Amino acid sequence: MATDSSYLDGLNDVQRKAVTTINGPVMVIAGPGSGKTRVLTYRIAHLINEGIPPYQILALTFTNKAAAEMKERIAAVVGKKSNQLWAGTFHSIFARILRYEAEKIGYPSNFTIYDSQDSKSLITTIIKEMNLDVKTYNVNGVFNRISNAKTNLISSKMYADNIGLRTQDRSSHRPKIADIYRAYAIRCKRAGAMDFDDLLYQTYVLLHKNPDQVLEKYRDKFKYVLVDEFQDTNHLQYSIIKKLVAFPNSPRNLCVVGDDAQSIYAFRGATIDNILNFQKEYKNLKVYKLEQNYRSTNFIVEAANQLISKNNKQIQKKIWSSQGEGAKIKLIKAVSDVEEAKRIAEVILEQKTRNHLNNSDIAILYRTNAQSRVFEEHLRRHNIQYKVYGGLSFYQRKEIKDLLAYLKLAVNPKDEEALKRVINFPKRAIGNSSLDKIKALANQQSQSIWDILKDIGKYQFPNRLKTAITKFVNIVVSMQKNLNVLDAYQLAVMAGDKTGLIATYQKDKTIEGMNRVENLRELLNGIKEFVESDEVIEEINSDDKSLTGYLQNVMLYTDQDKDNDDADRVLMMSVHASKGLEFESVFVAGLEKDLFPSKMAVEQREGIDEERRLFYVAITRAKRFLCLSFARTRYRFGNMVTSSPSNFLEEIGEENLEHALNIMSRSTDGRNESKGPRLGPTLKQRARPRIDVDNFEPSPISEIKIGKQVEHLRFGRGLIKTLEGAKGNEVATVLFEEVGEKRIMIKYAKLKVF
DNA sequence: CTCCTACGCCTTTTT
DNA sequence: GGCGTAGGAG
C-alpha cells in the first residue's frame, strides 16, 4: 500500500488528519497562511500512494497557476503518475469535457471561447439590431443579468417565463432583456462559441440532459473530487460538483478546502453560503480547521482576527501565529494621494536598507487598479524597480486580439466576434454598412455570417464588395487548409504575414505602433514556446499542441497565472489579485471611505462584510511588516476629491498599531463640513444610536420628506436633504450622523421617520 | 469608406 | 483623466 509516506511527517495534527481522511465528505477550513496548499497536494499524493489511480481524481481550482503549482508539488512526491491527474481550473476542466461531448448539446467540438469583451460586443450588436436604446440597455448591466441567470441555472426560456425577473426588468425599464438573452444564446450557438459562463453552464446542461451516457460516465470516472477555494464557488459550480458526487450509494468522496473569511468574489456570483451550509448538506461530514498561521507575526494575525470578528456570518475560528510577536502595524496619514505614494516609496527604501528586504519581498496593494499610477511615478523617481499586475492583460491588447482572431477564424470561421474584428482590418474596403447588410441576411436565414461570405457569389452585392470579400474568404480558407499541416506557430506566422496585419502595424512609426509590433513578436514567441514545450498537457488531450489547444489555453489564461518572474521588483496589484500570495512587507493603500470599502459595496446588502473580508485578505498577505495608508485628498475621474479615513482602520484594534489612531478628530472636509466622519476626539467614541432591529418598521414612502429625521438599519440616524426621481423610484440624499451623505433609493433602503 | 472630433460614461474587484 | 462610440466632414 503506502510506499513512502514521509510527507506526513512535516504536518501538524489537524493537517495530517485532513490529508489522511480520504473517504467520505471532508471540509477543510484553512485560515490564511495555514498550509492549505500543502494539505491539498499531500492529500492527493496520499490518495495516489494509497493506490487510487490518478485519473480517478478530479481537483478543481480557480487559477491555472494554483493547478500547476499543485501538480508540480504532487509530482515531487509521487513521480510522473501525477500526469494522469485531472487537475485544473473549473473552466479548463469543463472545457475539456465539453470538447469531447459538445455534439450532444448541439455545439461543434471546435467551439471557440468568447471572453467578456466578445460577449459584451455581441450583446451590444444585438441591442442595436433590436433598435433598443443603448443607454437604458447598457451592456454591462445586460451582460451581468444574463451571466447571473446562467449562474443560477436559468435558461433564456426560463428567464422569459420567470415573473420575478421580468418584473425586475420592467421596473428598471428594460423589459426586453429576456429577448436579448434569447438572441444572445442563439447567436453564440450559431457562432459555435461559448462564453465563460457557458463553459460551466453548458457542462451542467450536458450532465443534466444526458444522465445515462454522460453523467454516469464521469461519476464513475471521478471517484475522488477535491475543490480548492470553495468559498468562491458559485451556485452553478457547486451544482455541477454535486451532480458528480451526490447520487444514491455514492461514497461522496468530496473534499472542499476554503476559508469563508476570504470569500471575495460575490460580485461574480460566488456565494459564501456554499461553504457556510456545507455541513447541513453532508451529514457525516468531517470538518478540519487549520488555525495555526505559519506566515505572519502576531500583531498582524491579531489585527486580522479583530477585523473579521465584526462580520456576522462566519464559521467560528481563531487564527493564531507561531511566528513571534513581530512589529506593530504602521499607519501613514497622508494629505494627498501624491504624498501617500511619496511616503510609501520612502518607507520602502528604508525597509530595504534597515531590514535588508529585496524589492520582491514587498507588495503594494490597493482596492482599484486605477490607484497604481501614482505609485508607479514615485517608485520610478526613487529608482525602485516595480511591476504592476492586472489592468489590461497582454491578451486583451488590440493587436494581440487581432492576430488571435485570425487564428480563431481558421479553427472556427463561424466565430462572429473574431470575424467582425478582422474582416476589415487591415482595411479591405468592407465597411460597416456592407457588413450590416450581410449580417441582416445572415440573421434572416439563421445562418452565420461566414456561411453568407463563403457563398457571396450567390447574392446580390456590388462586384467591388464581392471581390473584397472573396479575397478575405480565401485568406481564411488557406489557413483552414493548413490546420492539419502546420503547427500553431507556423499558422500564426502565416496569420501575421498573409493578412497584412504585421505590415499594417509596422507602418505605424509612433511609439505605440512600435510597441504593438513588439507585442506581436512576443505573441509569436509565446506560441513557439507552447508548440515546442514537451510538457504533456493531459492524457486526454495529449496531442493538443494544435491551434485549438493553444487558443483554449490563451482564452482561459489570466494575469494571475503569470509566474512571478525572478526579477527583483516591488509588486503592485489589486487586493483581489493578491489572494494566495505572501510578502515580507505589505502596503495597503487608500484606506478611505468610499474607496475601501468601496462606495458600491456600502450600498449593497452584505457588501460591507465582503469588503471586510477583502481587507482581511489584504492584511494577511504580510509576513512581517504591514503598513496601511490613507490620503485626505485624491484624484478621481480627473478631479480632486476629499476623503476621510476608512472605518476599517478602527476595526483592527488600536493596540496592534504602531501609533495611536488619533486621525479622526478634525473635520476633514473643507467644502462640506458635514460630510466627513465625526467620530469625536477618540476612536472609542462610537456612539451609534442603537436601533431596535427586531421592531424596525420602515415608514411608507409618503412620509419621507425633505427635512425629516430618519433611521436606517445600517447607517443609523440621518436627515433627508433632497428628494428626486420619478414616483416609485425616489432617490433621497440623506445626511447621516455617522457615515455622512448617502444617496438612497427609498423603495429598497427602508427608512423610518422618527 | 475612412478619418477626425466631441461627448459621455466611467471605476470596484475578474474566471 | 481616459476610453469607446457616435456623428459629421472629406
Side-chain angles (χ1 to χ4, degrees), chain A residues 468-745:
Chain A
I469 286 175
T470 308
K471 251 175 154 171
F472 173 74
V473 168
N474 285 340
I475 291 173
V476 176
V477 169
S478 72
M479 284 174 52
Q480 270 181 310
K481 280 190 187 142
N482 282 304
L483 266 183
N484 298 315
V485 185
L486 304 178
D487 66 29
Y489 173 69
Q490 294 165 313
L491 278 162
V493 172
M494 189 174 163
D497 293 341
K498 200 158 182 165
T499 61
L501 188 71
I502 290 182
T504 306
Y505 280 123
Q506 273 170 341
K507 271 185 230 146
D508 182 353
K509 297 292 180 200
T510 62
I511 298 173
E512 200 192 2
M514 280 153 62
N515 279 337
R516 293 201 150 139
V517 174
E518 202 44 51
N519 287 335
L520 284 169
R521 283 199 207 300
E522 200 181 321
L523 177 69
L524 289 174
N525 285 337
I527 300 177
K528 194 169 188 185
E529 234 167 77
F530 174 85
V531 172
E532 286 171 358
S533 79
D534 51 1
E535 176 197 339
V536 179
I537 301 197
E538 295 299 332
E539 40 144 0
I540 181 167
N541 261 4
S542 53
D543 62 326
D544 226 348
K545 295 282 145 184
S546 71
L547 188 54
T548 314
Y550 173 75
L551 287 173
Q552 173 160 320
N553 241 19
V554 162
M555 294 309 287
L556 298 178
Y557 173 93
T558 72
D559 246 27
Q560 311 288 295
D561 299 328
K562 243 178 277 178
D563 278 337
N564 291 353
D565 51 31
D566 19 2
D568 184 35
R569 295 168 171 160
V570 172
L571 289 185
M572 289 188 240
M573 66 188 91
S574 69
V575 180
H576 280 89
S578 76
K579 192 159 83 159
L581 306 177
E582 59 177 31
F583 304 91
E584 294 294 326
S585 171
V586 168
F587 295 80
V588 187
L591 279 154
E592 292 134 43
K593 285 199 168 130
D594 290 344
L595 181 62
F596 199 176
S598 95
K599 192 171 184 163
M600 302 246 182
V602 175
E603 283 152 15
Q604 271 160 25
R605 220 178 97 254
E606 294 179 13
I608 283 276
D609 282 14
E610 169 124 340
E611 294 287 307
R612 200 175 274 118
R613 292 192 291 266
L614 193 55
F615 188 39
Y616 180 82
V617 168
I619 63 186
T620 54
R621 298 310 95 199
K623 291 161 104 170
R624 287 158 64 206
F625 303 104
L626 177 60
C627 177
L628 311 177
S629 67
F630 66 83
R632 291 188 183 278
T633 60
R634 171 180 301 283
Y635 274 92
R636 284 180 101 177
F637 312 113
N639 40 33
M640 188 152 79
V641 177
T642 54
S643 34
S644 43
S646 168
N647 287 344
F648 286 165
L649 289 172
E650 307 167 58
E651 297 184 351
I652 57 173
E654 194 166 16
E655 66 278 16
N656 297 313
L657 283 173
E658 196 178 273
H659 298 290
L661 184 57
N662 56 345
I663 48 177
M664 317 290 194
S665 49
R666 66 199 157 88
S667 170
T668 54
D669 192 332
R671 296 169 310 173
N672 179 358
E673 66 156 59
S674 48
K675 201 180 167 187
R678 293 185 305 165
L679 296 179
T682 73
L683 80 155
K684 276 165 195 73
Q685 185 180 340
R686 298 186 67 202
R688 164 173 287 215
R690 268 287 131 221
I691 294 173
D692 184 354
V693 176
D694 295 327
N695 297 313
F696 188 86
E697 189 82 37
S699 306
I701 294 179
S702 54
E703 282 186 31
I704 312 285
K705 298 214 172 77
I706 294 171
K708 291 263 188 187
Q709 292 269 2
V710 290
E711 281 183 330
H712 181 275
L713 266 183
R714 209 174 49 241
F715 300 145
R717 291 197 178 155
L719 179 76
I720 307 267
K721 289 183 75 181
T722 67
L723 264 181
E724 56 205 296
K727 204 166 168 57
N729 285 314
E730 291 96 337
V731 177
T733 309
V734 187
L735 177 61
F736 288 104
E737 289 169 15
E738 289 179 47
V739 292
E741 212 173 87
K742 299 269 175 215
R743 285 174 59 78
I744 283 181
M745 278 198 87

Side-chain angles (χ1 to χ4, degrees), chain A residues 379-486:
Chain A
L379 291 188
R380 220 179 293 133
R381 244 179 238 182
H382 285 89
N383 260 329
I384 302 170
Q385 297 287 308
Y386 65 86
K387 185 178 168 100
V388 184
Y389 267 55
L392 81 158
S393 109
F394 182 73
Y395 293 101
Q396 313 260 56
R397 290 167 201 271
K398 269 187 206 73
E399 62 277 16
I400 302 302
K401 287 206 85 174
D402 290 342
L403 183 56
L404 291 178
Y406 279 108
L407 296 177
K408 285 166 115 181
L409 282 180
V411 171
N412 171 22
K414 294 187 178 187
D415 183 330
E416 185 178 327
E417 292 309 307
L419 187 108
K420 278 195 302 200
R421 172 172 278 275
V422 292
I423 189 171
N424 198 31
F425 189 84
K427 301 254 178 296
R428 300 189 175 85
I430 307 171
N432 280 330
S433 55
S434 307
L435 193 58
D436 280 346
K437 280 177 205 143
I438 294 165
K439 219 161 54 184
L441 193 61
N443 283 340
Q444 194 191 316
Q445 306 194 7
S446 300
Q447 284 189 313
S448 69
I449 298 178
W450 174 255
D451 291 322
I452 306 291
L453 294 185
K454 71 179 184 341
D455 293 333
I456 195 73
K458 285 195 213 160
Y459 302 97
Q460 280 294 330
F461 285 111
N463 277 330
R464 208 150 41 99
L465 181 64
K466 285 187 180 180
T467 322
I469 286 175
T470 308
K471 251 175 154 171
F472 173 74
V473 168
N474 285 340
I475 291 173
V476 176
V477 169
S478 72
M479 284 174 52
Q480 270 181 310
K481 280 190 187 142
N482 282 304
L483 266 183
N484 298 315
V485 185
L486 304 178

Side-chain angles (χ1 to χ4, degrees), chain A residues 122-140:
Chain A
L122 177 53
I123 289 170
T124 310
T125 306
I126 291 168
I127 291 171
K128 286 179 188 160
E129 282 174 8
M130 290 172 69
N131 286 320
L132 299 170
D133 177 29
V134 283
K135 272 187 208 143
T136 39
Y137 287 89
N138 86 348
V139 212
N140 286 315

Side-chain angles (χ1 to χ4, degrees), chain A residues 186-254:
Chain A
I186 291 172
R187 287 284 269 281
C188 284
K189 202 160 200 175
R190 197 185 293 159
M194 299 219 195
D195 67 16
F196 284 145
D197 297 315
D198 283 329
L199 293 177
L200 311 178
Y201 179 71
Q202 302 296 351
T203 300
Y204 182 86
V205 171
L206 169 77
L207 298 176
H208 189 71
K209 292 209 170 144
N210 301 276
D212 301 329
Q213 312 100 296
V214 185
L215 180 56
E216 270 315 307
K217 182 166 101 190
Y218 289 100
R219 273 176 176 171
D220 192 53
K221 175 172 171 49
F222 299 127
K223 300 238 166 34
Y224 291 84
V225 178
L226 295 95
V227 183
D228 190 16
E229 308 279 15
F230 186 61
Q231 77 283 352
D232 287 331
T233 52
N234 61 33
H235 178 65
L236 174 52
Q237 286 161 326
Y238 188 32
S239 299
I240 297 171
I241 296 164
K242 277 198 282 197
K243 256 198 178 321
L244 286 173
V245 170
F247 52 98
N249 308 318
S250 164
R252 291 165 208 245
N253 294 327
L254 170 63

Side-chain angles (χ1 to χ4, degrees), chain A residues 273-290:
Chain A
D273 293 332
N274 285 349
I275 196 166
L276 294 179
N277 297 333
F278 195 72
Q279 293 196 65
K280 290 180 209 146
E281 295 208 39
Y282 292 84
K283 291 286 179 278
N284 52 341
L285 176 72
K286 296 270 193 309
V287 180
Y288 300 106
K289 293 185 190 175
L290 309 181

